[in-house]
């Protein structure tokens, strides 16, 4: 099956949330979608959005889509954040800070733990992790839906929820291990990222990718051997799925972050990486060691003044090199 995919280079993400805003203003600004962030950018290490989603179950037991669905839970409302109406007058007047515009103090929300570092100064660290539906090869959400409302398009592998068929049973919310399906209580239906399919059908990249000032989201067909996605995922193997052990075969891939090395007690630079590799392994699987080694080797080549196709690809001086979306469909 042809599969559209995205590669996100975490070394270039500045956590600006332009992608989040682009998505929210395009697709989820209606009643019932207040807590819905089809695209979110979370600070790592952190609890993410919805809070603690990595411990909410779902996905497949027994390997890539081949076994049984694992039980999952619907995150409580508190994991998405406070759903009260803010006092806009107070907020605009400047009399209240952003938390005091609610009658009840919120205790969680999207991007709540922004820029909260881990570790001890001067070796503390954090990085940003943009997340969206992975348009998985083995979508647990699709298999869990009791009314067959979720389908995967044959032409590009985009996973969609048929809004006319969905009966709001939320089995998909439980089954998605990434918790990237949201329930719209006003509409009574589940909703999620549509990979901007109307844009893709016109040859235009998804809004999150096109609006990203970091030029770090590559979009294209996975099997296009000349395209950047295939080069990064299959040839260089520097782009890895998030939590491959969930077994859904994600089609959003990440270039893992390489931060500067840490400092020893005497203040000198040490060999240990600032981000513990074990932590990156817990996110991106065992392939992360080889991916980091390749990235570091290519960085050093460039520092020696030698050519590096990989670095040129990742730098993306011309934004058009980020995308290799098929020609627009007509008729
Ligand atoms: S990320 Fe979740 S919602 Fe998206 S296709 Fe995979 S299982 Fe379904
Ligand atoms: S727009 Fe780009 S740089 Fe900004 S948060 Fe999103 S992915 Fe990161």
């Amino acid at each position: 099956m042809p599969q559209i995919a995205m590669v996100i280079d975490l070394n270039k993400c500045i956590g600006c949330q332009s992608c989040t805003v682009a998505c929210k203003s395009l697709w989820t600004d209606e009643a019932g979608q207040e807590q819905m962030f089809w695209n979110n950018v979370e600070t790592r290490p952190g609890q993410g959005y919805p809070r603690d989603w990595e411990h909410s179950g779902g996905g497949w037991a027994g390997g890539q889509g081949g076994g049984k669905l694992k039980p999952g839970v619907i995150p409580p409302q508190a994991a998405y954040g406070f759903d009260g109406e803010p006092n806009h007058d107070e907020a605009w007047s400047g009399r209240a800070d952003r938390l005091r515009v609610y009658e009840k103090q919120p205790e969680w929300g999207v991007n709540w733990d922004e820029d909260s570092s881990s570790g001890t100064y001067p070796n503390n660290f954090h990085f940003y992790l943009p997340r969206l539906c992975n348009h998985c090869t083995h979508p647990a959400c699709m298999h869990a839906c009791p009314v067959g409302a979720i389908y995967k398009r044959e032409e590009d592998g985009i996973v969609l929820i048929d809004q006319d068929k969905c009966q709001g049973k939320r089995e998909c919310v439980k089954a998605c291990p990434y918790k990237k399906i949201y329930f719209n209580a006003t509409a009574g239906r589940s909703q999620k990222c549509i990979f901007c399919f109307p844009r893709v059908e016109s040859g235009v990249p998804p809004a999150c990718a096109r609006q990203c000032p970091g030029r770090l989201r590559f979009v294209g067909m996975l099997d296009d051997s000349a395209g950047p996605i295939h080069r990064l995922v299959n040839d260089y193997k520097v782009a890895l799925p998030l939590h491959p052990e969930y077994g859904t075969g994600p089609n959003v891939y990440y270039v893992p972050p390489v931060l500067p090395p840490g400092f020893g007690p005497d203040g000198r630079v040490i060999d240990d990486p600032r981000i513990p590799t074990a932590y990156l392994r817990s996110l991106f699987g065992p392939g992360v060691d080889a991916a980091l080694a390749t990235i570091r080797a290519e960085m050093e080549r460039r520092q020696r003044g030698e050519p590096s196709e990989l670095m040129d690809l990742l730098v993306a001086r011309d934004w058009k090199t980020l995308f290799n979306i098929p020609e627009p469909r007509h008729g």
Side-chain angles (χ1 to χ4, degrees):
M1 175 187 275
Q3 179 66 55
I4 200 160
M6 185 180 288
V7 168
I8 298 178
D9 182 358
L10 298 182
N11 291 290
K12 293 167 74 181
C13 180
I14 55 174
C16 68
Q17 305 283 355
S18 300
C19 49
T20 307
V21 173
C23 177
K24 187 111 192 86
S25 53
L26 191 57
W27 299 117
T28 58
D29 62 350
E30 294 179 2
Q33 298 183 315
E34 292 82 1
Q35 306 295 330
M36 210 178 274
F37 290 87
W38 290 356
N39 180 98
N40 74 291
V41 182
E42 49 201 51
T43 294
R44 284 309 180 110
Q47 295 181 71
Y49 190 83
R51 180 168 56 189
D52 215 18
W53 62 268
E54 284 160 300
H55 300 108
S56 60
W60 293 94
Q64 293 276 318
K68 273 183 16 191
L69 286 174
K70 275 191 197 161
V73 298
I74 298 172
Q77 178 58 42
Y80 294 92
F82 184 61
D83 59 356
E85 262 298 298
N87 182 335
H88 295 285
D89 292 337
E90 280 288 304
W92 279 111
S93 72
R95 286 192 298 270
D97 69 31
R98 73 184 172 98
L99 297 184
R100 299 198 181 283
V101 299
Y102 294 96
E103 282 176 17
K104 203 171 111 192
Q105 288 290 294
E107 293 175 355
W108 190 256
V110 68
N111 203 24
W112 187 265
D113 46 9
E114 181 179 32
D115 292 355
S116 305
S117 289
S118 278
T120 311
Y121 178 82
N123 290 325
N124 47 326
F125 70 93
H126 69 264
F127 60 92
Y128 305 107
L129 182 71
R131 296 205 310 117
L132 61 153
C133 166
N134 293 292
H135 297 275
C136 302
T137 301
H138 310 291
C141 57
M142 184 173 90
H143 290 270
C145 177
V147 297
I150 303 182
Y151 61 103
K152 189 167 173 66
R153 303 206 311 182
E154 283 187 3
E155 61 269 41
D156 52 20
I158 291 176
V159 175
L160 297 174
I161 303 175
D162 184 329
Q163 293 290 290
D164 292 329
K165 280 192 182 170
C166 176
Q167 295 178 17
K169 296 189 181 289
R170 289 181 279 175
E171 292 301 320
C172 55
V173 181
K174 293 183 198 167
C176 172
Y178 301 92
K179 292 298 168 274
K180 270 296 167 192
I181 296 192
Y182 299 83
F183 182 63
N184 184 329
T186 304
R189 291 189 287 267
S190 296
Q191 297 171 338
K192 67 173 220 36
C193 161
I194 58 173
F195 212 81
C196 286
F197 75 85
R199 291 169 63 107
V200 167
E201 287 173 3
S202 303
V204 179
C208 60
R210 185 65 186 90
Q211 298 302 318
C212 171
R215 296 186 185 177
L216 58 92
R217 292 188 185 227
F218 299 81
V219 180
M221 302 307 286
L222 197 52
D223 61 357
D224 177 357
S225 57
I229 299 279
H230 192 274
R231 302 288 288 146
L232 295 168
V233 173
N234 295 319
D235 294 343
Y236 284 108
K237 297 185 170 42
V238 293
L240 307 164
L242 178 62
H243 286 304
E245 76 278 11
Y246 291 167
T248 61
N251 288 299
V252 174
Y253 298 83
Y254 296 88
V255 179
V258 182
L259 290 195
F263 296 100
D266 59 357
R268 291 176 193 274
V269 170
I270 55 176
D271 284 340
D272 290 351
R274 182 171 292 243
I275 306 177
T277 309
Y279 178 65
L280 293 178
R281 249 180 247 130
S282 76
L283 290 179
F284 305 113
V288 84
D289 296 74
L292 290 170
T294 301
I295 296 165
R296 289 204 182 94
E298 293 294 316
M299 285 169 73
E300 285 166 14
R301 278 171 67 92
R302 179 43 59 83
Q303 283 159 2
R304 292 195 299 270
E306 297 170 17
S308 167
E309 187 208 22
L310 177 60
M311 287 298 115
D312 287 345
L313 198 55
L314 292 173
V315 167
R317 286 191 180 81
D318 177 358
W319 66 268
K320 294 192 189 72
T321 62
L322 292 166
F323 310 121
N324 68 325
I325 293 171
E327 291 294 308
R329 291 174 215 153
H330 301 290

